[in-house]
Amino acid sequence: MPDDLKSVEAFVHIMKSGSLTRAEQASGMSKASLSRHLSQLEASLGAELIQRGSRHLRPTEAGRAFFARCEPMLGDLAQRLDDARTEVHDLSAGRT
């Protein structure tokens, strides 16, 4: 997955989990990687998406808006990838 999609995926995991520790467990990505992807995404957007405190993560207004757009997009992408894999498998197995 391209880096920008990886960054969006990391952001969505963080938002859904509410913490880097839980996002790490849910995604299989390290906390350092999640944090790096989040920072890269924020830099590319030019906006802070999540306010980081010593014991909390709080989404900003921009973060909530971006999440509302990205979460369904990732779900749709995952479904489309599954459909494409199934089609390729069926074609390679001689089924149409």
Side-chain angles (χ1 to χ4, degrees):
M1 195 173 287
D3 278 348
D4 51 346
L5 283 178
K6 279 276 198 206
S7 295
V8 170
E9 181 183 32
F11 167 70
V12 168
H13 278 297
I14 294 166
M15 287 289 289
K16 288 172 83 172
S17 300
S19 80
L20 286 174
T21 299
R22 288 190 298 267
E24 178 182 43
Q25 294 165 347
S27 70
M29 298 170 75
S30 71
K31 285 190 274 188
S33 181
L34 288 163
S35 182
R36 185 181 71 254
H37 280 296
L38 177 58
S39 294
Q40 289 171 343
L41 181 60
E42 289 175 326
S44 74
L45 293 171
E48 183 181 44
L49 300 175
I50 296 177
Q51 294 175 335
R52 299 152 185 83
S54 60
R55 299 187 144 248
H56 70 277
L57 299 175
R58 287 197 186 112
T60 63
E61 185 176 347
R64 288 188 295 276
F66 194 69
F67 177 74
R69 296 276 184 164
C70 291
E71 184 188 26
M73 175 193 68
L74 286 179
D76 185 51
L77 178 60
Q79 182 60 54
R80 288 173 183 255
L81 285 171
D82 285 344
D83 292 347
R85 285 185 184 110
T86 299
E87 185 174 356
V88 168
H89 181 267
D90 289 348
L91 289 169
S92 66
R95 294 179 278 212
T96 48

